[in-house]
Amino acid sequence: MKPAKTAKNDLTRQQYLDLYYYMRLNRAVEDTMVKLFRQNKIVGGLYSSLGQEAVSVGSAYALEKKDWLAPMIRNIGALLVKGVPPRDVFMQHMAKYDSPTKGKDGTSHFGDLDNLHIVSPISMLGDLIPVMAGVAIGGRYLGQKIVTMTWISDGGSSTGVFHEGLNFAATQKAPFVLILENNLWAYSTPVKRQVPLENLADRAKAYGIQSYIVDGNDVVAMYKTAKEAVDRARAGEGPILIEAKTFRRLGHAQHDAAEYVPKEMRAHWEARDPILLYEKFLTSQKLLDAQGKKEIEDKIDALLQTERDFAENSPMPPAEFAAEGVYCTGDDCHKIQPKWERDQREVMPPRSSVSAVWTVEGFGAGKGSSGGMAPIHFGDTAGAQEKPENEEKLAPKSPAKTVSKKSAKVASARAAGALRQRAQGKRR
């Protein structure tokens, strides 16, 4: 499907400026981390989203507070939109004790399940898709009108779990939106050498779900497309895939100089910087002037100075903490218990007043080869009983013969004699 058209009147002035602020904050946070990395203050890998800020910010801005998201390593902008303070991002990469994981991880692998509804990234690309489909189904089961969102790259869309997860989400009609960031490079492999498709959005057709193609460097188009997809998913139309056409302007990580990228390609995309393009749009629409731009820059500079100071002054984890949380030993590690949204007695047999099933139109109504309902069924479909004639068809045509012990001994002796005769014949 075509992306939603950009129109000035569809957003308020503050919303336009919010998108600009978060993109600028996204880039400033990463610029700060580059400086920390070069000072040897970042202990893990550092993965840049330079040139892709509009994808993370525009898509995450389309979500409501109650919705869930699961970022990848280049989606720091989505974390900032959701409410993660920059200090958490800094401390996480610096492995500080005050970081969300208490210094246990040196990258962006952290989440916030209780307050911000953020699921931690998973290193194995594509694995977040079935996870977020499951979160979406769980929310629907609890009667919550939530939508879940995660991101995947062009390279990650070639993993098996991408297809398994998307198929699972499609069959379950999960309220789930997948953002496919086509940044043209899977590490050093160009997209044309990994996928025989011009548009990766075409992969959605295999699972009978809708898809959009959008300019990932146009933050307003990105937001409007994501908002339309989120609204449709929330209304029960099932999962939707959005392919965002963009470009990864730096290497896979700080150690990668990306010398494999043609200079002409890099120059083309640098001229399409999403922040510069958006600044021109805001200026032309009289939504941003020099003074307004300076106020936003000063606000970000002051914020990041405070956040960086806090992160640098945070202590490193104590040495004895290294052995904690490695092996889970029950309550000594962390207490894992179900979080009941209703009275437990209400949802547990035999006193349950509501069956633990949900109904999805057109789902679970398959037919078996015999013409009846399939014996494997779902909560909204009555189980089928195998017809007696099926058992008759599969039964032996005649009863099995029984052999007496005496007959068995005679047969065994005859077989042994035959083997001896063959062996003697070969020796001759």
Side-chain angles (χ1 to χ4, degrees), residues 165-417:
L166 204 54
N167 183 72
F168 172 68
T171 58
Q172 300 286 336
K173 289 194 173 181
F176 166 64
V177 176
L178 177 62
I179 311 296
L180 201 168
E181 298 179 275
N182 186 353
N183 62 23
L184 303 182
W185 293 90
Y187 207 124
S188 59
T189 303
V191 67
K192 289 186 177 181
R193 295 194 64 181
Q194 53 166 311
V195 182
L197 295 171
E198 180 179 354
N199 298 313
L200 300 183
D202 289 346
R203 288 185 153 172
K205 296 178 182 178
Y207 310 109
I209 66 174
Q210 296 294 327
S211 65
Y212 294 87
I213 298 173
V214 62
D215 180 357
N217 286 33
D218 182 341
V219 69
V220 176
M222 191 71 231
Y223 161 73
K224 290 184 177 180
T225 304
K227 184 67 168 63
E228 185 174 319
V230 167
D231 289 346
R232 292 179 63 186
R234 201 185 307 280
E237 294 189 32
I240 294 176
L241 182 148
I242 300 173
E243 179 187 359
K245 305 278 192 181
T246 184
F247 178 70
R248 194 194 73 206
R249 282 168 54 186
L250 292 180
H252 175 69
Q254 282 293 312
H255 64 270
D256 175 22
E259 295 177 349
Y260 43 80
V261 178
K263 294 181 179 179
E264 298 78 10
M265 176 182 285
R266 186 184 302 281
H268 169 78
W269 284 97
E270 285 178 349
R272 300 200 69 255
D273 181 284
I275 294 180
L276 295 180
L277 290 176
Y278 194 45
E279 283 182 356
K280 292 179 180 178
F281 169 78
L282 293 176
T283 302
S284 67
Q285 300 296 319
K286 301 188 184 306
L287 295 168
L288 181 70
D289 55 21
Q291 181 180 349
K293 179 180 177 181
K294 187 177 186 306
E295 289 175 356
I296 291 175
E297 291 173 346
D298 291 343
K299 180 180 178 181
I300 291 175
D301 289 343
L303 172 65
L304 294 192
Q305 185 60 55
T306 301
E307 298 292 274
R308 176 175 175 171
D309 290 344
F310 184 95
E312 294 206 59
N313 291 326
S314 174
M316 297 299 290
E320 59 271 19
F321 186 68
E324 295 183 17
V326 179
Y327 298 100
C328 189
T329 56
D331 292 347
D332 294 337
C333 172
H334 54 274
K335 206 165 187 176
I336 302 177
Q337 289 184 334
K339 185 177 180 181
W340 297 101
E341 299 289 339
R342 300 187 303 211
D343 189 316
Q344 183 175 347
R345 294 171 299 178
E346 181 187 346
V347 295
M348 297 293 289
R351 299 182 60 185
S352 58
S353 59
V354 179
S355 300
V357 298
W358 64 94
T359 301
V360 180
E361 185 179 354
F363 176 64
K367 299 287 185 180
S369 58
S370 62
M373 295 301 297
I376 298 176
H377 64 97
F378 300 93
D380 59 329
T381 304
Q385 298 295 327
E386 288 290 341
K387 294 182 179 181
E389 55 265 29
N390 287 347
E391 296 182 3
E392 295 177 3
K393 292 179 182 178
L394 296 174
K397 300 303 180 184
S398 59
K401 295 181 179 181
T402 57
V403 181
S404 66
K405 292 184 179 179
K406 182 177 179 180
S407 299
K409 288 182 179 180
V410 172
S412 178
R414 289 176 177 173

